Amino acid sequence: MGRGRVVLKRIENKINRQVTFAKRRNGLLKKAYELSVLCDAEIALIIFSNRGKLYEFCSSSNMLKTLDRYQRCSQLEYGILAREPQGTFDEYLSLKARVEFLQRSQRNLLGQDLEPLNTNELEQLEDQLEKSLHQIRSTKIQFMLDELSNLRRKERMLLEANRAIKRKLEEFETGNILQLSWQNSGQNVPCSRQPTHTETFFQPLECDPAPQIRSYPVSAEQTSIATPAQNATTFIPGWMV
């Protein structure tokens, strides 16, 4: 089971306060030593207990040299700020206070450092969180509706494409069925070319390029019969003269 969060406020119990001071002091001195060794940093640490007892740590050989260096650097920084216009310095302080306020507000929104806040501040923080949550939910719902609309549009496009493919498939199957029926009818019923009327009426005559003259014997009776027929020039069969 993990250790609970320690509330950052003055420990009222004197014994507990002294024990906590001893533990935290040793830990702080240890961390300062590790930082100076690992990062090659010059560190000077000065601690006064509530009884006025001094505890110190210095990574260099002399604490006074480190303090002198600190004093020179601080005087140089303060001298630069003093030479700058007063408006720039005031702007710097304003921006610094603004950054600290924003950092504190961010920690409060994350649920941290809520102990210094009173009831009214906690209620305002709760209202702000509820408004933020409402805005987040509205944005989420709108995003989901937009996604649903896009999916429906895609569904309609897919259905139309499916209908078009189905129509083409039906037309293709119908064409195949007709082609197969024509082929089967052509195989079952043989087609014979019937001659036309003109072809039956007009038949080519077979002509022999070398005509042959044949003589048949005629009897006396046939000669006697044919002679009167040749002499009867005034009579035409079927006509009256």
Side-chain angles (χ1 to χ4, degrees), residues 6 11 13-26:
V6 178
I11 300 175
N13 193 326
K14 189 175 181 179
I15 297 175
N16 293 339
R17 185 168 63 246
Q18 186 64 28
V19 172
T20 303
F21 173 75
K23 291 181 179 180
R24 297 295 180 96
R25 179 199 64 203
N26 295 333

Side-chain angles (χ1 to χ4, degrees), residues 77 200 204 212:
E77 182 178 359
T200 56
Q212 297 178 2

Side-chain angles (χ1 to χ4, degrees), residues 180-190:
L180 291 175
S181 62
W182 290 342
Q183 293 178 357
N184 293 332
S185 62
Q187 293 176 0
N188 295 331
V189 180

Side-chain angles (χ1 to χ4, degrees), residues 14 30 45 58 66 68 73 100 103 146 176 214 222:
K14 189 175 181 179
K30 182 180 179 182
L45 178 61
C58 184
T66 305
D68 291 338
C73 292
E100 292 177 355
Q103 290 177 351
D146 294 340
N176 288 338
R214 298 180 180 180
Q222 291 178 351

